[in-house]
Every structure is written in structure tokens, then in C-alpha cells.
Amino acid sequence: MIRHKFQIFISFVILGIVFISFNVEPKYETDEIVPYPEGYREWTHVKTYIVGPKSLAFKFIGGFNHVYANEAAMVGYKTGHFPNGSVIVSDVIQAKEDSVDIREGPRHHLDVMVRDSIKYRDSGGWRFEEFQGDSPTIRLLNPQSRMVCSNCHSRQDDMVFSGFRK
């Protein structure tokens, strides 16, 4: 009798462990720091575009915008689905105009998108960061501005504005 009760008790413990293991989701810190993308200029250059003074976005991203993608992000540009580990960088450079040419000025900021559909599921699977000028440590985004990024990007396929220019 005691042996039978013990077997029932062990069965319930095992069932409980199995139930918990299937129902507990991993917890991720959604305020994790996105690292500065060292070496991004050696990644694939996706495209360059210029945001001019007539654009509503000029105040924020006016000038040259050079877009780079790591290997994982290049899979996304080719297939239309960006896998976890994708990193896209937009290097925003001020435009300096003289009487003849428009040339690059100083870097305004660096926009970074990192894909992790589990960690960042609340923001469409992407985490956004912005680094000031040439600084790898001065960050310009807070949770509210990250949400603005996410809301704007959500209008695009897989939240990515740029397309790969072959």
C-alpha cells in the first residue's frame, strides 16, 4: 500500500515537472544593450541613399545613409525573411555642399537593428539602437524612442526599409 502511494506520488511529481517544463517560457531582459557593431564597414554594403532637405526625415537622418548588413542579414535581403542574428547598420553622414559637389561631412549617428524574434518579440523581433557621431558608447535611444522606431518599421516587410541593390 505504501509502495503504491509512493508510485502515485512520484508519477505526480514527474507529471508536474513535465507540465512546468513545457509551460515556462524563458525570461529575457528586453533592455539588453545592443553592442556597437565593430567592423560593420567590412560587411556587405547594401546601398547608399541621400535624404535631402525637402524630406520630412531630414531633421533625423538628413545626408548620406550608407546601409550595411552582416551575413545573416544578407540571407534576409535575398529571401525576404531576416533570421535571428541579422544586424543592419545605417551609417548617417552629414552632407556638405559647396558650389560644385556634395561631399560627406562628419558622422551624425549610427543606427543599428539586431534581429532576435524571441528576445525582442514585443517589438517585432528587432532591437533598435543609435550611437552618436563616432562614439561606440554614447547611445541616443531610450525605451520610448525605440518604440517609435519599432512602430515606423512595422509598416515594412519584416520591419526593414532598405532593399539590397545588386
Side-chain angles (χ1 to χ4, degrees):
M1 182 71 148
I2 293 177
R3 182 178 166 164
H4 181 67
K5 287 182 180 179
F6 182 72
Q7 288 175 337
I8 292 173
F9 173 75
I10 293 298
S11 297
F12 278 114
V13 169
I14 291 171
L15 280 172
I17 291 171
V18 169
F19 178 77
I20 289 170
S21 67
F22 282 109
N23 288 305
V24 174
E25 292 185 26
K27 301 291 182 198
Y28 292 103
E29 180 59 52
T30 56
D31 205 28
E32 291 178 355
I33 293 178
V34 169
Y36 185 85
E38 297 290 344
Y40 71 91
R41 294 206 43 187
E42 295 172 11
W43 298 353
T44 301
H45 177 249
V46 174
K47 68 172 23 178
T48 295
Y49 60 97
I50 298 174
V51 176
K54 293 180 183 177
S55 170
L56 296 174
F58 183 76
K59 178 180 175 183
F60 305 103
I61 60 171
F64 293 91
N65 287 255
H66 303 293
V67 180
Y68 299 89
N70 69 358
E71 285 185 41
M74 286 309 298
V75 170
Y77 280 113
K78 292 173 183 170
T79 66
H81 174 72
F82 290 82
N84 289 343
S86 295
V87 181
I88 300 171
V89 174
S90 183
D91 193 358
V92 181
I93 308 290
Q94 294 176 8
K96 298 289 184 184
E97 190 170 354
D98 60 27
S99 61
V100 179
D101 297 317
I102 299 174
R103 299 179 189 270
E104 289 186 351
R107 176 175 289 115
H108 187 266
H109 66 271
L110 199 69
D111 288 325
V112 181
M113 294 175 62
V114 176
R115 175 81 167 159
D116 189 315
S117 60
I118 297 170
K119 286 183 184 179
Y120 312 130
R121 69 176 163 256
D122 292 343
S123 58
W126 290 92
R127 172 63 177 225
F128 300 90
E129 189 56 81
E130 192 170 85
F131 295 91
Q132 181 178 353
D134 291 322
S135 173
T137 58
I138 300 174
R139 296 163 187 277
L140 301 174
L141 299 184
N142 59 38
Q144 292 77 24
S145 55
R146 280 191 192 94
M147 188 56 65
V148 171
C149 294
S150 180
N151 289 340
C152 188
H153 278 259
S154 69
R155 298 180 215 136
Q156 304 301 313
D157 290 337
D158 215 359
M159 298 187 71
V160 176
F161 279 98
S162 57
F164 181 60
R165 184 173 188 271
K166 296 177 183 178

